[in-house]
Amino acid sequence: MKKIIVTFLFLGLTLTAFSQGKERKERIKALKAAHITEKLNLTEKEAQQFWPIYNAYNERMGSLRHEKIRKIRQEIKQNYNTLTDEKAQELLNRLAEAENNIHNERIELATRLKTIISPKKILLLQIAEEDFKRKLFEQFKKRRHEGGKRN
């Protein structure tokens, strides 16, 4: 029963999470935290140690994904027709470096979390993150589809 209530709460809140700007991002972060908390079933002690590490990780990942990778991809799209092979190689190298940094952040997170939660919960965290992304994307598609019917 608890899972059904949490699922409906999650879906309901997700629908409202698609408002504009920073408020939307904050709601999504809160929904993600609630989803992870439920899935991992953290003890109070685990949660106190887990969340500062996980939140710092998310900040670094956001910076890498949105600032570095997005900028590189924009540069590729904007300049694709005029790129020299030398410039293309430079962009590939920068993209590979950014993706390596993301990979290293994931490894570092797992290493730090091993002292707080079990390896099984670390794997469950990865599953919970993917599950959250999938649910969020499904809600986005649903809202987009419903919006298209209204026009």
Side-chain angles (χ1 to χ4, degrees):
M1 182 70 173
K2 178 183 173 189
K3 286 188 179 191
I4 293 171
I5 292 170
V6 170
T7 300
F8 281 119
L9 178 63
F10 173 83
L11 293 175
L13 290 174
T14 301
L15 290 174
T16 60
F18 285 99
S19 62
Q20 297 296 317
K22 189 174 182 174
E23 184 179 308
R24 178 183 74 183
K25 289 179 184 179
E26 292 303 316
R27 285 185 183 158
I28 291 171
K29 283 181 185 180
L31 289 169
K32 184 177 181 183
H35 181 76
I36 289 172
T37 298
E38 178 198 354
K39 294 295 181 182
L40 294 185
N41 195 23
L42 297 172
T43 67
E44 187 176 331
K45 182 180 178 185
E46 288 173 334
Q48 287 175 347
Q49 295 176 324
F50 172 85
W51 285 110
I53 292 170
Y54 187 77
N55 289 337
Y57 159 81
N58 268 333
E59 289 296 318
R60 291 188 304 272
M61 290 295 280
S63 175
L64 287 170
R65 283 189 185 120
H66 298 295
E67 293 174 18
K68 289 188 178 183
I69 290 181
R70 182 180 288 166
K71 285 180 183 177
I72 295 167
R73 287 184 177 154
Q74 285 175 345
E75 190 174 343
I76 291 168
K77 286 179 185 177
Q78 291 170 354
N79 302 311
Y80 181 78
N81 291 327
T82 59
L83 283 178
T84 64
D85 282 344
E86 184 177 279
K87 181 65 176 177
Q89 185 61 53
E90 176 202 328
L91 290 168
L92 279 173
N93 291 343
R94 286 174 43 205
L95 192 57
E97 181 182 348
E99 289 172 350
N100 267 343
N101 289 340
I102 287 173
H103 176 72
N104 290 337
E105 286 292 336
R106 288 184 182 133
I107 291 171
E108 177 66 21
L109 175 68
T111 301
R112 293 186 72 195
L113 290 180
K114 283 180 192 176
T115 64
I116 299 166
I117 60 176
S118 70
K120 191 171 179 178
K121 281 189 178 181
I122 293 171
L123 292 174
L124 189 56
L125 170 63
Q126 293 174 356
I127 293 168
E129 287 175 321
E130 289 301 316
D131 187 45
F132 180 79
K133 287 180 202 173
R134 182 185 50 75
K135 286 180 180 180
L136 195 62
F137 184 68
E138 286 171 1
Q139 286 297 314
F140 175 75
K141 282 185 1 185
K142 182 179 175 183
R143 286 184 53 88
R144 196 170 197 193
H145 180 70
E146 288 172 357
K149 285 184 176 180
R150 291 182 200 149
N151 292 333

